[in-house]
C-alpha cells in the first residue's frame, strides 16, 4: 500500500473505530451489515469480498498489523477488521517533557531558545486595540 492509500485507510479506519465506540446504532450496523457500515466511512469493499469484524481482541492494538490485514484482504477477497470493544487507553506515566508540553511549554527554536510562549491576550505588554 502506498503512503497515500495507507493514510486514507487509517483515516477511514479511525472514523469506523470512533463511530463504533460512540454510537451503539453504528456498532450494531457494523455487526449486522459490515459492508454498508464500512462504506459510510470510506472503506469500500470489492464485489464478492467478505469481511469479518473482530471485536474481542487480546494484547496491544497494532495499526501496522491492521494495515497488513487489509492489504491481505485486497489480495484474497477476505478482509478482517479489528474493532476493539472499547478504546485502548495508555496508562503509562507522563515524562517531564510530556508534562512540560501540555503545561504550556513552547517549542525551542533558534529565535526562541528558551521556548517561552507569549500570548497577546494575556501578556501585560499587549498592544491590542
Amino acid at each position: 500500500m502506498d503512503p497515500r492509500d495507507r493514510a486514507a485507510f487509517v483515516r477511514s479506519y479511525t472514523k469506523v473505530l470512533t463511530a463504533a465506540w460512540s454510537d451503539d446504532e453504528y456498532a450494531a450496523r457494523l455487526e449486522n451489515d459490515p459492508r454498508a457500515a464500512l462504506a459510510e466511512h470510506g472503506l469500500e469493499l470489492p464485489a464478492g469480498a467478505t469481511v469479518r469484524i473482530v471485536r474481542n481482541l487480546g494484547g496491544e492494538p497494532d495499526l501496522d498489523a491492521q494495515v497488513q490485514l487489509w492489504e491481505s484482504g485486497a489480495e484474497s477477497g477476505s478482509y478482517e477488521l479489528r474493532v476493539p470493544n472499547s478504546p485502548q487507553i495508555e496508562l503509562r506515566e507522563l515524562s517531564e517533557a510530556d508534562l512540560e508540553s501540555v503545561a504550556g511549554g513552547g517549542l525551542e527554536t533558534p529565535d526562541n531558545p528558551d521556548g517561552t510562549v507569549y500570548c497577546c491576550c494575556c501578556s501585560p505588554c499587549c498592544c491590542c486595540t
Side-chain angles (χ1 to χ4, degrees):
M1 187 178 299
D2 70 34
R4 175 176 264 155
D5 290 340
R6 178 186 165 89
F9 169 77
V10 170
R11 264 191 314 275
S12 294
Y13 178 53
T14 301
K15 289 176 184 178
V16 168
L17 292 176
T18 303
W21 293 331
S22 62
D23 181 350
D24 291 337
E25 288 181 24
Y26 179 81
R29 284 196 313 276
L30 186 62
E31 292 295 324
N32 298 324
D33 189 4
R35 177 181 293 275
L38 294 175
E40 289 176 36
H41 294 291
L43 291 176
E44 300 283 339
L45 297 171
T50 61
V51 62
R52 182 171 70 105
I53 305 299
V54 179
R55 297 293 300 218
N56 296 317
L57 303 173
E60 294 292 315
D62 186 347
L63 181 60
D64 290 329
Q66 179 58 70
V67 170
Q68 289 175 353
L69 285 169
W70 197 258
E71 287 178 313
S72 295
E75 294 173 11
S76 69
S78 180
Y79 291 82
E80 179 179 309
L81 196 73
R82 296 177 178 178
V83 181
N85 287 320
S86 62
Q88 303 297 310
I89 299 172
E90 191 172 319
L91 299 175
R92 72 173 176 85
E93 288 191 32
L94 296 175
S95 69
E96 290 297 320
D98 293 334
L99 290 172
E100 188 174 311
S101 71
V102 296
L107 181 64
E108 294 179 10
T109 65
D111 294 334
N112 189 15
D114 64 354
T116 306
V117 177
Y118 293 104
C119 171
C120 115
C121 298
C122 56
S123 175
C125 65
C126 182
C127 58
C128 296
T129 58

Short mmCIF file of all heavy atoms in Angstrom, two decimals, residues 13 17 21 52-62 66 69 80-88:
data_model
loop_
_atom_site.label_atom_id
_atom_site.label_comp_id
_atom_site.label_asym_id
_atom_site.label_seq_id
_atom_site.Cartn_x
_atom_site.Cartn_y
_atom_site.Cartn_z
N TYR A 13 -10.42 4.05 8.86
CA TYR A 13 -10.43 3.09 9.97
C TYR A 13 -10.66 3.82 11.29
O TYR A 13 -11.44 3.38 12.14
CB TYR A 13 -9.12 2.32 9.96
CG TYR A 13 -8.94 1.31 11.06
CD1 TYR A 13 -9.88 0.32 11.30
CD2 TYR A 13 -7.80 1.32 11.85
CE1 TYR A 13 -9.70 -0.62 12.30
CE2 TYR A 13 -7.60 0.39 12.85
CZ TYR A 13 -8.55 -0.59 13.08
OH TYR A 13 -8.36 -1.51 14.07
N LEU A 17 -13.67 3.22 13.98
CA LEU A 17 -13.46 2.95 15.40
C LEU A 17 -14.21 3.96 16.26
O LEU A 17 -14.92 3.58 17.21
CB LEU A 17 -11.97 3.01 15.75
CG LEU A 17 -11.09 1.91 15.17
CD1 LEU A 17 -9.63 2.17 15.52
CD2 LEU A 17 -11.54 0.54 15.62
N TRP A 21 -17.35 3.10 18.82
CA TRP A 21 -17.23 3.34 20.26
C TRP A 21 -18.23 4.36 20.77
O TRP A 21 -18.54 4.38 21.96
CB TRP A 21 -15.82 3.81 20.61
CG TRP A 21 -14.78 2.77 20.39
CD1 TRP A 21 -14.91 1.41 20.45
CD2 TRP A 21 -13.41 3.00 20.06
NE1 TRP A 21 -13.72 0.80 20.18
CE2 TRP A 21 -12.78 1.75 19.93
CE3 TRP A 21 -12.65 4.16 19.85
CZ2 TRP A 21 -11.44 1.61 19.62
CZ3 TRP A 21 -11.31 4.02 19.54
CH2 TRP A 21 -10.71 2.75 19.43
N ARG A 52 -14.86 -9.81 7.96
CA ARG A 52 -15.12 -10.33 9.31
C ARG A 52 -14.69 -9.24 10.29
O ARG A 52 -13.55 -8.77 10.26
CB ARG A 52 -14.32 -11.61 9.54
CG ARG A 52 -14.56 -12.25 10.89
CD ARG A 52 -13.91 -13.62 10.97
NE ARG A 52 -12.47 -13.54 11.00
CZ ARG A 52 -11.73 -13.73 12.10
NH1 ARG A 52 -12.31 -14.01 13.25
NH2 ARG A 52 -10.42 -13.65 12.05
N ILE A 53 -15.61 -8.84 11.16
CA ILE A 53 -15.32 -7.85 12.19
C ILE A 53 -14.92 -8.61 13.45
O ILE A 53 -15.66 -9.45 13.94
CB ILE A 53 -16.54 -6.95 12.47
CG1 ILE A 53 -17.05 -6.28 11.19
CG2 ILE A 53 -16.22 -5.93 13.55
CD1 ILE A 53 -16.07 -5.37 10.50
N VAL A 54 -13.73 -8.31 13.96
CA VAL A 54 -13.22 -8.96 15.17
C VAL A 54 -13.31 -7.95 16.30
O VAL A 54 -12.66 -6.90 16.26
CB VAL A 54 -11.76 -9.44 14.98
CG1 VAL A 54 -11.24 -10.08 16.25
CG2 VAL A 54 -11.67 -10.39 13.80
N ARG A 55 -14.14 -8.24 17.31
CA ARG A 55 -14.38 -7.29 18.40
C ARG A 55 -13.57 -7.60 19.65
O ARG A 55 -13.10 -6.69 20.31
CB ARG A 55 -15.87 -7.28 18.78
CG ARG A 55 -16.81 -6.83 17.68
CD ARG A 55 -16.63 -5.39 17.34
NE ARG A 55 -16.88 -4.54 18.48
CZ ARG A 55 -17.47 -3.38 18.44
NH1 ARG A 55 -17.89 -2.91 17.31
NH2 ARG A 55 -17.63 -2.66 19.52
N ASN A 56 -13.44 -8.85 20.03
CA ASN A 56 -12.73 -9.20 21.25
C ASN A 56 -11.27 -9.45 20.92
O ASN A 56 -10.92 -10.46 20.33
CB ASN A 56 -13.34 -10.45 21.90
CG ASN A 56 -14.76 -10.19 22.36
OD1 ASN A 56 -15.05 -9.15 22.93
ND2 ASN A 56 -15.65 -11.12 22.09
N LEU A 57 -10.44 -8.50 21.30
CA LEU A 57 -9.02 -8.57 20.98
C LEU A 57 -8.22 -8.75 22.26
O LEU A 57 -8.55 -8.19 23.29
CB LEU A 57 -8.56 -7.30 20.27
CG LEU A 57 -9.30 -6.94 18.99
CD1 LEU A 57 -8.85 -5.58 18.50
CD2 LEU A 57 -9.04 -7.98 17.93
N GLY A 58 -7.13 -9.46 22.14
CA GLY A 58 -6.19 -9.57 23.24
C GLY A 58 -4.91 -8.86 22.87
O GLY A 58 -4.61 -8.66 21.70
N GLY A 59 -4.15 -8.44 23.85
CA GLY A 59 -2.88 -7.79 23.58
C GLY A 59 -3.02 -6.33 23.19
O GLY A 59 -4.09 -5.75 23.28
N GLU A 60 -1.93 -5.78 22.78
CA GLU A 60 -1.87 -4.37 22.40
C GLU A 60 -2.43 -4.16 20.99
O GLU A 60 -2.20 -4.97 20.11
CB GLU A 60 -0.42 -3.88 22.43
CG GLU A 60 0.19 -3.87 23.82
CD GLU A 60 -0.44 -2.83 24.72
OE1 GLU A 60 -0.65 -1.70 24.27
OE2 GLU A 60 -0.74 -3.18 25.87
N PRO A 61 -3.13 -3.05 20.76
CA PRO A 61 -3.58 -2.75 19.40
C PRO A 61 -2.37 -2.47 18.50
O PRO A 61 -1.37 -1.95 18.96
CB PRO A 61 -4.43 -1.49 19.57
CG PRO A 61 -4.19 -1.00 20.94
CD PRO A 61 -3.53 -2.06 21.72
N ASP A 62 -2.47 -2.86 17.26
CA ASP A 62 -1.35 -2.72 16.33
C ASP A 62 -1.87 -2.24 14.99
O ASP A 62 -2.42 -3.02 14.22
CB ASP A 62 -0.63 -4.06 16.21
CG ASP A 62 0.64 -3.98 15.38
OD1 ASP A 62 0.86 -2.96 14.69
OD2 ASP A 62 1.40 -4.95 15.42
N GLN A 66 -3.11 -4.15 11.39
CA GLN A 66 -4.41 -3.96 10.74
C GLN A 66 -4.24 -3.56 9.29
O GLN A 66 -4.96 -4.03 8.42
CB GLN A 66 -5.24 -2.91 11.48
CG GLN A 66 -6.58 -2.64 10.84
CD GLN A 66 -7.46 -3.88 10.72
OE1 GLN A 66 -7.94 -4.39 11.71
NE2 GLN A 66 -7.67 -4.36 9.50
N LEU A 69 -3.44 -6.66 7.42
CA LEU A 69 -4.64 -7.49 7.24
C LEU A 69 -5.52 -6.95 6.12
O LEU A 69 -6.08 -7.71 5.34
CB LEU A 69 -5.44 -7.54 8.54
CG LEU A 69 -4.89 -8.42 9.65
CD1 LEU A 69 -5.63 -8.17 10.95
CD2 LEU A 69 -4.96 -9.88 9.26
N GLU A 80 -10.37 -8.72 7.16
CA GLU A 80 -10.57 -8.77 8.60
C GLU A 80 -10.34 -7.37 9.14
O GLU A 80 -9.32 -6.76 8.87
CB GLU A 80 -9.59 -9.75 9.26
CG GLU A 80 -9.75 -9.82 10.77
CD GLU A 80 -8.78 -10.82 11.39
OE1 GLU A 80 -8.72 -11.97 10.94
OE2 GLU A 80 -8.09 -10.41 12.36
N LEU A 81 -11.31 -6.88 9.91
CA LEU A 81 -11.18 -5.57 10.52
C LEU A 81 -11.30 -5.73 12.03
O LEU A 81 -12.30 -6.24 12.52
CB LEU A 81 -12.24 -4.61 10.00
CG LEU A 81 -11.96 -3.15 10.28
CD1 LEU A 81 -10.83 -2.64 9.37
CD2 LEU A 81 -13.20 -2.31 10.06
N ARG A 82 -10.27 -5.29 12.72
CA ARG A 82 -10.25 -5.39 14.18
C ARG A 82 -10.82 -4.12 14.78
O ARG A 82 -10.31 -3.03 14.56
CB ARG A 82 -8.83 -5.62 14.66
CG ARG A 82 -8.29 -6.94 14.16
CD ARG A 82 -6.87 -7.17 14.56
NE ARG A 82 -6.44 -8.49 14.10
CZ ARG A 82 -5.23 -8.96 14.28
NH1 ARG A 82 -4.32 -8.23 14.92
NH2 ARG A 82 -4.93 -10.15 13.84
N VAL A 83 -11.90 -4.29 15.52
CA VAL A 83 -12.59 -3.17 16.16
C VAL A 83 -12.76 -3.52 17.64
O VAL A 83 -13.71 -4.20 18.02
CB VAL A 83 -13.98 -2.92 15.51
CG1 VAL A 83 -14.67 -1.74 16.16
CG2 VAL A 83 -13.83 -2.72 14.00
N PRO A 84 -11.81 -3.08 18.48
CA PRO A 84 -11.92 -3.38 19.91
C PRO A 84 -13.25 -2.87 20.47
O PRO A 84 -13.81 -1.89 19.98
CB PRO A 84 -10.74 -2.62 20.54
CG PRO A 84 -9.80 -2.34 19.42
CD PRO A 84 -10.64 -2.26 18.18
N ASN A 85 -13.73 -3.55 21.51
CA ASN A 85 -14.99 -3.15 22.12
C ASN A 85 -14.93 -1.77 22.77
O ASN A 85 -15.94 -1.11 22.92
CB ASN A 85 -15.43 -4.18 23.16
CG ASN A 85 -15.93 -5.44 22.50
OD1 ASN A 85 -16.62 -5.38 21.49
ND2 ASN A 85 -15.57 -6.59 23.04
N SER A 86 -13.74 -1.35 23.17
CA SER A 86 -13.58 -0.02 23.76
C SER A 86 -12.19 0.50 23.40
O SER A 86 -11.29 -0.28 23.08
CB SER A 86 -13.75 -0.07 25.28
OG SER A 86 -12.76 -0.90 25.85
N PRO A 87 -12.01 1.81 23.47
CA PRO A 87 -10.70 2.38 23.14
C PRO A 87 -9.62 1.84 24.07
O PRO A 87 -9.87 1.60 25.25
CB PRO A 87 -10.88 3.88 23.35
CG PRO A 87 -12.34 4.12 23.40
CD PRO A 87 -12.98 2.84 23.83
N GLN A 88 -8.44 1.65 23.52
CA GLN A 88 -7.31 1.22 24.32
C GLN A 88 -6.62 2.47 24.85
O GLN A 88 -6.14 3.29 24.07
CB GLN A 88 -6.33 0.40 23.47
CG GLN A 88 -6.97 -0.81 22.82
CD GLN A 88 -7.46 -1.82 23.83
OE1 GLN A 88 -6.74 -2.20 24.73
NE2 GLN A 88 -8.71 -2.22 23.71
#
